[in-house]
Amino acid sequence: MMANCTDVQDEPIHKQEDELLPFELNYMPEFVLRKKENELNCIHADKQKCLQELKDLLNACQFSTVLPYRCPDGSVTVLSELGKLDPANISLETLKQIAYMTYQQALRNPVTQVTGFSIIDDFAGTGFQHLRYCKPFLMYLLNHITFAVLPARRMIFIHSTPEDLLNHFPRSALPVKYGGTLTDYYTADWLKRANEQQGNFPVGGQKNIF
């Protein structure tokens, strides 16, 4: 039998017994709050800094967003503005996590499981700095996922002008710069909720949303 006790107070045992806490707690004791602030450096200013960093990261993640309206066939439209990727601030691992989270979260909707996705890849603004994402193992992973994992039918259209998208999408479902009418289409709140829900993986994966 081994016991590893850390930060034992220099107090009599009988006094410590009077202050024993149950295993399951639904409140934060005062001494724990003090320990959090004094020893773990988790003061209010640090919390605000961390929240700001999270906000900045979500703003940087505007390269991938789920548009607010589905296509007439019911498919979810995902817009990837790859030129907005900043390789200096967004690691390859973070990029993979965001992509995985976006599609996995959307697939929790049974409608999406049937209708699938319509994906718009906008390469405007990309350059040599983005080649750091094109590592051989990642290319192999994408190829394997595309052809061996995802149960999807793939149709790829290359457009010479953004307005060509109107041949495939309603005007009201597209951002203004593609000839549509959407002005505010970034879904940072949705991405934040998806990130929170990704931590809840029951056995067998997350349940459908309905």
Side-chain angles (χ1 to χ4, degrees), residues 55-64 84-86 89-90:
K55 182 178 179 180
D56 292 340
L57 178 60
L58 290 174
N59 289 334
C61 293
Q62 289 185 353
F63 69 87
S64 180
K84 293 185 176 181
L85 267 173
D86 184 358
N89 294 322
I90 301 178

Side-chain angles (χ1 to χ4, degrees), residues 22-29:
F23 169 65
E24 295 187 5
L25 288 172
N26 58 5
Y27 70 99
M28 185 75 77

Side-chain angles (χ1 to χ4, degrees), residues 5 11-12 23 36 54 57 60 70 79 90 99 101 103 109 138-139 155 177 182:
C5 299
E11 296 179 353
F23 169 65
K36 179 181 177 183
L54 175 60
L57 178 60
R70 293 173 179 260
L79 172 62
I90 301 178
M101 178 176 62
Y103 291 99
N109 191 310
L138 179 60
M139 297 298 100
M155 294 183 293
K177 67 178 180 178
L182 285 178

Side-chain angles (χ1 to χ4, degrees), residues 31-193:
F31 80 90
V32 177
L33 286 173
R34 291 194 299 271
K35 181 181 180 70
K36 179 181 177 183
E37 294 181 358
N38 299 331
E39 299 181 27
L40 300 183
N41 242 355
C42 294
I43 59 177
H44 181 71
D46 291 332
K47 288 178 61 179
Q48 293 302 316
K49 179 181 177 182
C50 292
L51 289 174
Q52 184 60 45
E53 289 177 353
L54 175 60
K55 182 178 179 180
D56 292 340
L57 178 60
L58 290 174
N59 289 334
C61 293
Q62 289 185 353
F63 69 87
S64 180
T65 189
V66 179
L67 295 184
Y69 300 109
R70 293 173 179 260
C71 288
D73 63 0
S75 61
V76 171
T77 302
V78 179
L79 172 62
S80 296
E81 299 171 279
L82 302 175
K84 293 185 176 181
L85 267 173
D86 184 358
N89 294 322
I90 301 178
S91 67
L92 177 60
E93 188 62 29
T94 299
L95 176 61
K96 291 190 294 184
Q97 291 174 343
I98 292 172
Y100 177 82
M101 178 176 62
T102 298
Y103 291 99
Q104 285 294 104
Q105 186 70 12
L107 281 172
R108 292 182 62 202
N109 191 310
V111 175
T112 309
Q113 295 169 16
V114 177
T115 59
F117 298 90
S118 295
I119 304 171
I120 301 174
D121 289 324
D122 185 348
F123 292 91
T126 56
F128 286 109
Q129 70 272 21
H130 294 92
L131 290 178
R132 68 176 58 188
Y133 293 126
C134 301
K135 298 182 179 180
F137 81 92
L138 179 60
M139 297 298 100
Y140 172 81
L141 177 63
L142 290 176
N143 180 76
H144 176 71
I145 291 175
T146 301
F147 294 101
V149 177
L150 295 177
R153 179 183 62 176
R154 294 160 190 86
M155 294 183 293
I156 300 175
F157 302 93
I158 299 177
H159 307 283
S160 57
T161 64
E163 289 74 18
D164 287 348
L165 291 172
L166 293 174
N167 296 326
H168 304 274
F169 298 87
R171 188 179 299 273
S172 58
L174 288 176
V176 170
K177 67 178 180 178
Y178 302 123
T181 60
L182 285 178
T183 55
D184 184 14
Y185 57 89
Y186 289 114
T187 51
D189 290 342
W190 180 87
L191 186 63
K192 183 177 180 180
R193 292 196 307 271

